[in-house]
Amino acid sequence: IRKLNESYVSKLDYTITAGAKTITGSFEGTQKELTAYIDLNSNLRDIAALEKIHVVIKDNTGRIVSNTDIPLVQLPE
């Protein structure tokens, strides 16, 4: 979720890199609040020993809003 976007932001696109797999898509909503739902469980099911995902979010002008690594932690069963 990204809230209170700048007046010129009408769209946000994301790219998630997890190992050799890349997932792309767009946030939906309005300038007030844009939201994206991503099913990482299904999308990353076949990737073993994944320690982090890299996420890049760009606005409709190509400006990078976020560029970060997110560490993944295995939960005990």
Side-chain angles (χ1 to χ4, degrees):
I1 294 176
R2 185 163 192 256
K3 295 184 177 188
L4 303 175
N5 293 283
E6 296 85 348
S7 61
Y8 58 86
V9 174
S10 59
K11 179 180 162 190
L12 295 173
D13 294 316
Y14 63 83
T15 302
I16 299 171
T17 306
K21 183 158 186 149
T22 300
I23 304 164
T24 59
S26 297
F27 286 67
E28 295 180 5
T30 64
Q31 177 189 4
K32 185 176 178 182
E33 182 175 296
L34 292 164
T35 305
Y37 295 98
I38 306 152
D39 181 358
L40 293 177
N41 190 42
S42 295
N43 281 298
L44 304 180
R45 172 180 329 170
D46 299 326
I47 300 176
L50 190 60
E51 295 180 8
K52 67 179 179 177
I53 59 176
H54 184 78
V55 179
V56 177
I57 300 172
K58 293 183 180 181
D59 68 18
N60 52 291
T61 68
R63 180 179 63 114
I64 295 176
V65 174
S66 180
N67 184 355
T68 190
D69 286 328
I70 299 173
L72 302 176
V73 178
Q74 178 97 23
L75 296 176
E77 293 185 26

